Amino acid sequence: MLTLLVLVLSFLAGLTHGAPAPVLERAVIVGGKEAPANKWPWQVSLRVHREFWMHFCGGSLVHPQWVLTAGHCVGPNIVNPSVLRVQLREQHLYYHDQLLPISRIIVHPNFYAAESGADIALLELQEPVNTSSHVQLISLPPASQTFSPGMSCWVTGWGDVNNGESLPPPFPLKQVKVPIVENSLCDNNYHTGLQTGDNVHIIHDDMMCAGNTHKDSCQGDSGGPLVCRVNGTWMQAGVVSWGDGCAQPNRPGIYTRVTSYLDWIYLYVPKEF
Ligand code: ARG
């Protein structure tokens, strides 16, 4: 309640400053900077009504009528779609809201908790959106696509800029380039400092890892896209899912591996449109 009050107050404080001034290097998602206005046109913000339509998760536009997000953003207990809204790509959260209603929330049937996997969900918009210079779809990868260390991958969102430190007004969309961490290495990393047996996998095959102690996604980025550039085309490799804190040693950010869920996604999202 207190944090919400602080959020509302800092939000109002931000608004009284009028149009947000362009920011060249606003510190730190964790370790990143403000996204250029023409980048990440598939990024969306999920909203729930509190004192205002508050951002609670990210998402990505994968079809004119479908948003991909994390299961834990909208599940496992599904709320009525009427209590949520989608805001398409916005440079500063809340400043030019045009909230879109949704007609359906589909959480993966195997989703129970982020740590156990299948942390993926789809939202159907009531109406298809028109794409434009600043609103575009992100391509889903082919099933055979792999994402390996050394690829150029980025995560974007309006989440916390550090552990327990929320994004300050004027809430610019942030981006950070994150190194992919191969699953077995990430699993080893996560076992350090834990009693969990080495034979017990913490990082499942339907997850992938990215980030380091300087660069990571964080609370509020969940559901948002991890995208990689493959031969000049941006593809969504992951969905922000979970982590042990943010940008902590031996604790890369964990993402739902999109290629593990293509068949499920295509049960709902038309391939041709
Ligand atoms: N579960 C968080 C959320 O709901 C995302 C955490 C991502 N953590 C990380 N270290 N990358 O927003």
Side-chain angles (χ1 to χ4, degrees):
M1 195 60 218
L2 183 65
T3 41
L4 186 59
L5 183 66
V6 170
L7 186 70
V8 172
L9 289 178
S10 62
F11 169 62
L12 293 174
L15 282 187
T16 58
H17 291 133
V23 177
L24 290 179
E25 186 77 68
R26 183 168 289 271
V28 280
I29 271 161
V30 181
K33 58 176 189 172
E34 177 167 353
N38 60 349
K39 287 196 105 169
W40 327 119
W42 43 78
Q43 175 79 47
V44 311
S45 160
L46 307 189
R47 306 293 187 84
V48 64
H49 198 258
R50 296 290 179 252
E51 274 80 358
F52 57 99
W53 282 100
M54 193 177 76
H55 168 88
F56 68 96
C57 266
S60 59
L61 198 62
V62 295
H63 173 278
Q65 209 164 355
W66 290 92
V67 166
L68 185 64
T69 188
H72 80 264
C73 288
V74 291
N77 306 308
I78 301 176
V79 297
N80 190 308
S82 68
V83 308
L84 301 183
R85 297 287 186 277
V86 166
Q87 170 63 50
L88 301 179
R89 174 68 162 89
E90 200 174 36
Q91 188 66 16
H92 297 93
L93 216 48
Y94 307 128
Y95 284 78
H96 294 100
D97 278 1
Q98 279 190 293
L99 303 177
L100 305 177
I102 65 181
S103 50
R104 244 195 317 172
I105 300 174
I106 301 162
V107 177
H108 194 282
N110 297 144
F111 174 72
Y112 162 69
E115 297 78 5
S116 47
D119 190 10
I120 196 162
L122 285 164
L123 311 178
E124 186 183 26
L125 300 171
Q126 278 186 15
E127 307 283 347
V129 302
N130 292 315
T131 54
S132 66
S133 58
H134 60 284
V135 173
Q136 278 165 42
L137 312 177
I138 180 66
S139 300
L140 295 172
S144 59
Q145 185 67 49
T146 55
F147 298 96
S148 45
M151 287 177 89
S152 178
C153 302
W154 296 72
V155 61
T156 47
W158 289 276
D160 290 359
V161 296
N162 217 324
N163 290 288
E165 196 183 320
S166 57
L167 178 68
F171 317 114
L173 177 65
K174 301 257 326 272
Q175 61 175 38
V176 68
K177 188 176 182 179
V178 282
I180 299 291
V181 180
E182 192 269 319
N183 272 41
S184 62
L185 175 58
C186 187
D187 192 64
N188 283 343
N189 288 166
Y190 264 84
H191 277 86
T192 57
L194 290 182
Q195 303 300 329
T196 315
D198 287 349
N199 47 351
V200 179
H201 283 201
I202 298 173
I203 309 304
H204 302 188
D205 291 346
D206 73 336
M207 301 174 185
M208 59 184 289
C209 300
N212 59 31
T213 53
H214 302 290
K215 297 154 170 252
D216 197 3
S217 47
C218 202
Q219 269 54 39
D221 290 321
S222 277
L226 169 70
V227 297
C228 304
R229 207 178 159 103
V230 181
N231 298 326
T233 304
W234 289 102
M235 288 178 185
Q236 184 164 355
V239 178
V240 180
S241 178
W242 65 287
D244 179 3
C246 307
Q248 300 286 81
N250 290 311
R251 299 294 188 268
I254 305 171
Y255 297 78
T256 306
R257 188 180 286 277
V258 171
T259 50
S260 300
Y261 291 99
L262 290 170
D263 291 348
W264 177 77
I265 292 170
Y266 289 128
L267 287 178
Y268 301 97
V269 179
K271 256 191 170 174
E272 309 289 342
F273 45 85

